[in-house]
Amino acid sequence: MDDPDLVDAVQRPGARGRSASQVVAFRRNAAQSGRCGKEAVYASTVFHTEDASAGLGALRQALDAPRALRDYGMPEDGIAKALGPIMKAIPANNPTPVTYANLTMLLQAAWAGDPVN
């Protein structure tokens, strides 16, 4: 990897206030918005994948990082407890409508470590 921000995020998670997924997400968003031309191929050049999502999967696999919220110690009943605070934090202009039903499905998949499409 030749990206010092990403290397630092992988080697010292949270040390500079950002995770590897945050660094990659920032790069992807910059590329998609046209703010940063060289970033348009970031995921494919660093992770040798076609997109950032696959790149994050490759990074997770290389690090043998936990895949599920339960692996981080979240109890299954934490899903219901998280719904209210998360719903309050979602901005009104969120591009995807968020409901209790679709947020519950997302959190259940994240808790189990299932891929979300």
Side-chain angles (χ1 to χ4, degrees):
M1 280 185 241
D2 61 350
D3 183 319
D5 288 333
L6 184 58
V7 170
D8 190 52
V10 169
Q11 293 175 346
R12 301 179 320 137
R16 290 175 52 194
R18 56 196 131 163
S19 67
S21 61
Q22 289 170 320
V23 171
V24 172
F26 173 79
R27 302 284 194 264
R28 182 194 67 221
N29 291 339
Q32 289 175 344
S33 69
R35 291 188 308 250
C36 196
K38 69 178 183 165
E39 305 300 347
V41 293
Y42 185 79
S44 62
T45 58
V46 173
F47 300 112
H48 306 290
T49 61
E50 292 185 24
D51 59 40
S53 180
L56 285 174
L59 177 62
R60 189 207 60 77
Q61 185 175 17
L63 297 174
D64 194 27
R67 172 176 206 110
L69 290 175
R70 68 178 171 208
D71 297 336
Y72 288 98
M74 180 180 182
E76 191 169 12
D77 67 352
I79 294 170
K81 293 175 184 176
L83 288 171
I86 293 171
M87 289 297 286
K88 289 178 186 174
I90 297 169
N93 64 348
N94 196 62
T96 302
V98 180
T99 65
Y100 279 94
N102 65 15
L103 180 56
T104 299
M105 287 177 38
L106 176 69
L107 290 174
Q108 287 171 335
W111 184 85
D114 296 337
V116 177
N117 297 328

